[in-house]
Each structure stands twice: as C-alpha cells, then as structure tokens.
C-alpha cells in the first residue's frame, strides 16, 4: 500500500496491519535485524548480492551470530511467510512500497566508496512506481542521498511522484535489535512534507523512542556523520592526554574519572586505537568533501588514533625491558582480534595492526579471541593459542567480557615472563601484586 498522503497514525496502523510491502537492500549486520523487525508487522523482502546469505535467510537462518535474538526473529518471520530474501533487486523493488538501502558505505584518506549504494539505487529505479518511498539508512556523506535522484528518475518518474528520505542507523552491531526498537530516537529528513510524515509513521511503528524530524535530507546525513566524528575526535583527545600522562608519570584514568565529575567534561577512554567501519570511516566523508574549509582537527584526530597500535608495541618493548627481555624474538599473545568487544568484526581492527607491527619486529605472535577461530588468527599472521604457556607478554587488544576476568594465577604460572600490556584498560594496576609488569594506555 502506498504511504505518501497518509498521516503518521494511518501509516503506523496500515504497517502494523501488514498492508505495506518493504524491501531492505543489504542483509548485513544492520539490514537483517531491521528486515526482521519490520517483518514482525508486515511483508518484507531482503535483497543481498551474497547468495549464501540469501539461501540462509530463506531457510530461516540468521548469519549474524553476534545478534543472538535474531535467530528466533528470522526463523519465525520466514516460517510465517512475512520475510524472504532474494538477489533480484529489481523484482524486489517492483513488489515493494518502501525500499530501504543498508549496504556498505566506506571511505579512506583518498576516496569515498559508495558503489553498492549506486548499484542498488539503479536496481530500485528499474522497479520504482508512483507513490513509492526510497529511504537511505546506510551512513551517507552529506549530499549523497540527493545525488541518487537522477538515478531514481531514470524510472521515468520525477521526485515528488516518489518520495526520498534519509533515516540513519544510529545503532551498534551486537545490540542492533534493542538499539533499533528502543534505544535511540530515529532521525529523519525527507524530500517533502508528505514523505516526511509517512516516514515518521514507518519508524514510529517500530521504534519506542520515536522520531526526530530534521529540516532536510542532507541535515539528517550530517547528524549521523557528526556523531561518529565526535567520538573519533574525543577518543583522540583522550589518547593524546593519556600519552602526555605517561610522559609525566600520571595516571590518566584517575584524572579523567575525577575530571568527568564536572558536567561539561566528557573525557573518553584512551586505548589501542579505533576500528570498525563507522568511527574511523566517517571523518573521511567530511575531510574528502571539504573544499574551502580545512578540517585540521578531524584529520589530526585520525592520525592520533591510527598511531595507537604502534604505541601499544612501544609499551610492549618497555614492559619487556623491565624484565630484561628484548622484543625481537619474544613470544607475544594478542588477546582479541575484533575491533570491539562482543563482536566478530575485523575491519580496521587495531589488533591486526598490532600483529603486523609485532611481526615486522620479528616477534613470534600468537592470538586468541573468544568469538574467532584458529583460521581467523592464521589469516592475520598469528598462531592460535588458548593458554599462556611460554608467553613473554600478553597484549589485550579488544575489550571482550572474557578478558575482564582473566585467570591471573594461571597466567602467572604459565607465562615465561609476566608482562601485560592492557590496550583497553580492562584490568587494573592491582595485577602487579601478582608479580606482573602491567602497562596500560595512560596508565604506566
Ligand atoms: N555495523 C554497525 O554497527 C553500523 C552501525 C550504524 C550504521 N552502520 C551503517 O550501515 C550500513 C551497513 O552496514 P552493515 O554493518 O550492516 O554492513 P555489512 O557489511 O554487515 O552488510 C552489508 C550487506 O550488504 C550486502 N551488499 C553489498 N553490496 C550489495 C549490493 N550491491 N546489493 C545488495 N546487497 C549488497 C553485503 O553482502 C552485506 O550482506 C553502512 O553504511 C554502515 O556504515 C553500520
């Protein structure tokens, strides 16, 4: 059922009555949870280029293992006939009233990579009908959603005959279901008032925190990108202050904790670096699009955060020196391969950069991650190790829950040298009581 022209209450009602057909493009960490949540109410087709994912979803199987509640949601909605998957993006668009784009958007210091967005938009244009609404939820460099208009108009329709909106995903993988349905309000910008009203209704149907409408699509895009940049710059500030504390024999964590009792101060946690496809990526959207402005602070923050894995290696050298051991030829166990605790995601993971740096310096590198396999460790050049026997130093690179309660007595017994480099500040100086040399970022 077409939604443009209905008010938000009517949209919510018809969506919950199952009268709206939604296509979600990209069945990844965020797309599959979103598709399954919509399917609780109405008919959803998920579109993905990955055949394996399409097959799994059609069998009612969830491929996002860090999202455990999703198993049941996918199984039930496929069984009850409200959720299906396909790799045919044109057919999906022909059947849908609302198309949501949630494919990867990436960037580095040289370029912004949006090919998947353009690819699915082109497919949508081939199935676009009057009254349809296209929503980008993938994080977009400001201006990108509107740049899709000429592609969508290849359908023969003009903007206004179809609606366009941006409603950024503000969620984190691993907690996507909770985040989408009840954690944060949805930000929405749209091409016209009627589309905005309809899109508000769509998200109010699934999000208990409601919707914050903003004045334009580009504004909505900037909201999400700026959220990520805020994190990156503030983590860089925490890292820089932590390095300064190391130089001056101060404990940054103690200082930050006390300083943060002042309500205008929000010093973040320093650490081994920033990974994933969000925080280290979004700054480049702004930097690469800047023409007259020179985003020096944002660029410097990137440099500071990117240098942190090297600093972890420097801490390892310092720790090993304290037990009269050289880095060259030592055996180091890296705990964690993922970029963040609780997920299995390697993109831009500081752990991998630490492994690369150690290997350059002729270290025998071992790795363990509770969410990964031996094959994952080997793929990144480390040997898999589930104990501490013969290890000279342990580097904690990921804040997985398991690492917060390491068996320190066992470590003390098994390790050849007792050195812990805590890249995520998950332990405390207390461990030195067991005879460990313990060094953390800003905590040496
Ligand atoms: N993962 C997060 O925590 C998170 C949080 C907020 C926002 N985002 C944003 O959401 C978007 C998607 O991220 P994600 O983490 O779900 O990515 P993902 O890599 O987990 O999933 C993307 C999916 O899109 C599919 N795909 C790629 N190209 C395609 C194409 N041309 N046609 C159809 N399907 C295609 C892939 O096969 C994959 O299944 C990105 O813009 C990301 O920045 C992600």
């Amino acid at each position: 059922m077409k939604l443009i022209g209905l008010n938000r209450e009517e949209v919510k009602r018809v969506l919950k009555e199952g009268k709206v057909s939604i296509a979600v493009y990209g069945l990844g960490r965020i797309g599959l949870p979103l598709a399954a949540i919509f399917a609780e109410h109405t008919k959803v087709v998920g579109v993905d280029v990955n055949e394996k994912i399409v097959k799994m979803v059609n069998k009612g199987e969830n491929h996002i293992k860090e999202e455990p509640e999703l198993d049941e949601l996918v199984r039930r909605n496929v069984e009850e006939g409200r959720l299906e998957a396909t790799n045919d993006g044109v057919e999906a668009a022909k059947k849908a009233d609302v198309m949501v784009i949630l494919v990867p958007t990436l960037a580095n210091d040289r370029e912004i990579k949006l090919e998947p967005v353009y690819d699915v938009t082109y497919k949508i244009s081939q199935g676009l009908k009057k009254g349809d609404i296209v929503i980008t939820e993938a994080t977009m460099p400001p201006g990108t959603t509107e740049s899709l208009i000429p592609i969508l108009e290849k359908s023969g329709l003009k903007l206004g005959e179809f609606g366009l909106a941006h409603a950024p995903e503000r969620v984190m993988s691993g907690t996507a279901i909770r985040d989408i349905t009840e954690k944060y309000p949805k930000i929405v910008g749209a091409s016209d008032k009627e589309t905005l009203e309809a899109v508000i209704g769509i998200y109010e149907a699934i999000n208990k925190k409601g919707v914050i409408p903003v004045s334009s699509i580009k504004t909505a895009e900037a909201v999400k990108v700026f959220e990520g940049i805020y994190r990156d710059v503030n983590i860089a500030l925490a890292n820089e202050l932590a390095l300064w504390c190391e130089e001056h024999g101060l404990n940054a964590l103690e200082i930050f904790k006390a300083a943060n009792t002042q309500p205008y101060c929000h010093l973040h946690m320093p650490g081994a670096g920033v990974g994933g496809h969000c925080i280290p990526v979004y700054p480049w959207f702004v930097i690469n699009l800047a023409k007259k402005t020179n985003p020096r602070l944002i660029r410097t923050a990137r440099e500071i955060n990117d240098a942190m894995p090297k600093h972890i290696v420097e801490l390892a050298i310092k720790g090993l020196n304290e037990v009269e051991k050289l880095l060259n030829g030592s055996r180091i166990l890296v705990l964690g391969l993922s970029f963040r605790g609780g997920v299995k995601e390697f993109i831009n993971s500081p752990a991998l950069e630490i492994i690369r740096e150690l290997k350059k310096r002729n270290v025998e590198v071992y790795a363990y991650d509770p969410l990964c396999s031996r094959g994952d460790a080997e793929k990144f050049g480390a040997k898999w190790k589930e104990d501490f026997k013969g290890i000279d130093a342990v580097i904690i690179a990921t804040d997985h829950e398991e690492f917060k309660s390491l068996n320190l007595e066992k470590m003390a017994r098994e390790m050849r040298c007792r050195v812990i480099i805590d890249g995520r500040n998950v332990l405390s100086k207390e461990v030195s009581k067991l005879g460990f040399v313990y060094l953390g970022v800003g905590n040496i």
Side-chain angles (χ1 to χ4, degrees):
M1 178 173 181
K2 302 302 166 208
L3 302 177
I4 296 178
L6 302 185
N7 69 41
R8 65 189 75 177
E9 292 307 323
E10 289 165 337
V11 170
K12 265 195 275 185
R13 182 173 50 75
V14 294
L15 196 146
K16 287 186 171 181
E17 286 170 0
K19 292 181 181 156
V20 184
S21 178
I22 300 177
V24 176
Y25 289 77
L27 291 176
R29 293 175 190 89
I30 311 298
L32 185 58
L34 182 77
I37 289 165
F38 274 133
E40 288 284 273
H41 305 288
T42 199
K43 183 128 184 66
V44 179
V45 57
V47 183
D48 206 290
V49 279
N50 185 326
E51 273 294 346
K52 204 170 138 202
I53 292 177
V54 169
K55 277 193 187 131
M56 279 183 81
V57 172
N58 281 332
K59 279 196 251 165
E61 290 169 13
N62 163 33
H63 70 102
I64 311 288
K65 286 301 155 210
E66 67 257 32
E67 222 55 77
E69 290 167 55
L70 194 56
D71 289 352
E72 168 62 11
L73 218 53
V74 171
R75 190 193 55 72
R76 181 156 38 80
N77 284 301
V78 170
E79 250 172 46
E80 294 174 9
R82 285 185 303 274
L83 178 62
E84 61 173 327
T86 178
N87 60 6
D88 190 338
V90 178
E91 273 309 305
K94 283 182 185 164
K95 288 184 199 151
D97 308 304
V98 177
M99 297 85 164
V100 180
I101 299 178
L102 252 170
V103 290
T105 48
L106 291 171
N108 57 29
D109 54 350
R110 294 172 305 283
E111 54 177 348
I112 295 174
K113 295 185 224 166
L114 301 172
E115 288 79 5
V117 174
Y118 292 119
D119 176 51
V120 301
T121 306
Y122 183 65
K123 285 176 181 147
I124 289 171
S125 78
Q126 292 175 276
L128 197 68
K129 303 157 307 300
K130 203 167 172 207
D132 284 352
I133 299 177
V134 179
I135 305 172
T136 55
E137 279 212 32
T139 309
M140 303 292 245
T144 306
T145 300
E146 282 167 341
S147 79
L148 306 178
I149 295 170
I151 305 177
L152 293 168
E153 289 186 342
K154 283 184 193 293
S155 60
L157 298 171
K158 288 274 164 222
L159 183 66
E161 294 179 280
F162 65 91
L164 183 64
H166 181 63
E169 266 313 345
R170 310 173 76 200
V171 309
M172 284 211 296
S173 54
T175 51
I177 294 172
R178 184 204 61 185
D179 292 352
I180 291 171
T181 55
E182 58 184 74
K183 195 76 195 291
Y184 314 107
K186 193 80 177 163
I187 307 292
V188 175
S191 50
D192 58 74
K193 274 191 185 149
E194 287 193 322
T195 304
L196 184 63
E197 183 67 15
V199 178
I200 290 172
I202 292 171
Y203 290 105
E204 280 187 354
I206 58 166
N207 187 332
K208 286 188 192 142
K209 279 276 155 71
V211 174
I212 300 176
V214 294
S215 59
S216 69
I217 289 177
K218 204 167 174 178
T219 302
E221 291 171 326
V223 171
K224 169 70 192 178
V225 173
F226 288 10
E227 284 171 14
I229 293 175
Y230 174 88
R231 292 276 298 153
D232 200 44
V233 169
N234 280 285
I235 293 167
L237 174 64
N239 283 333
E240 190 163 75
L241 291 174
L243 297 183
W244 189 90
C245 285
E246 287 180 18
E247 185 188 327
H248 292 271
L250 290 167
N251 185 315
L253 304 189
E254 184 190 358
I255 298 168
F256 290 6
K257 193 170 167 206
N260 284 346
T261 58
Q262 209 280 352
Y264 298 112
C265 189
H266 305 283
L267 287 163
H268 286 33
M269 182 62 89
V274 176
H277 39 52
C278 296
I279 298 176
V281 171
Y282 304 159
W284 296 113
F285 289 172
V286 163
I287 295 168
N288 290 335
L289 289 177
K291 291 200 175 78
K292 287 194 199 133
T293 41
N294 178 7
R296 297 190 299 277
L297 176 63
I298 302 172
R299 192 187 294 275
T300 305
R302 278 283 70 244
E303 280 168 20
I304 293 170
N305 290 336
D306 275 352
M308 292 312 289
K310 269 205 181 109
H311 179 65
I312 295 293
V313 174
E314 278 156 21
L315 288 182
I317 294 172
K318 185 176 163 59
L320 287 165
N321 283 350
E322 286 186 30
V323 294
E324 295 179 355
K325 182 117 190 109
L326 290 176
L327 182 73
N328 192 323
S330 64
R331 291 182 198 153
I332 295 191
L333 171 62
V334 177
L335 291 182
L337 292 167
S338 290
F339 83 89
R340 150 166 89 72
V343 296
K344 181 184 174 182
E345 267 184 74
F346 305 125
I347 187 160
N348 298 318
S349 175
L352 309 185
E353 187 57 27
I354 292 169
I355 292 173
R356 276 192 289 274
E357 275 301 313
L358 291 171
K359 286 183 70 83
K360 266 195 237 161
R361 295 164 193 241
N362 205 23
V363 171
E364 212 175 306
V365 187
Y366 296 84
Y368 170 73
D369 186 308
L371 299 180
C372 299
S373 65
R374 180 179 295 274
D376 293 323
E378 286 168 2
K379 188 166 65 192
F380 299 118
K383 295 179 200 158
W384 185 250
K385 192 155 175 63
E386 295 184 14
D387 58 37
F388 303 96
K389 284 180 194 146
I391 291 295
D392 297 312
V394 162
I395 293 178
I396 303 174
T398 311
D399 56 347
H400 284 309
E401 275 308 310
E402 185 172 312
F403 302 153
K404 294 177 185 167
S405 52
L406 286 170
N407 186 338
L408 294 162
E409 280 83 14
K410 183 171 186 266
M411 285 173 75
R413 266 195 322 274
E414 292 185 354
M415 286 174 74
R416 187 161 71 175
C417 300
R418 293 180 189 175
V419 176
I420 299 178
I421 309 302
D422 189 351
R424 295 295 171 194
N425 288 308
V426 296
L427 303 176
S428 77
K429 275 260 175 236
E430 289 291 295
V431 305
S432 23
K433 286 185 187 152
L434 285 166
F436 285 101
V437 172
Y438 173 82
L439 305 174
V441 178
N443 186 13
I444 64 176

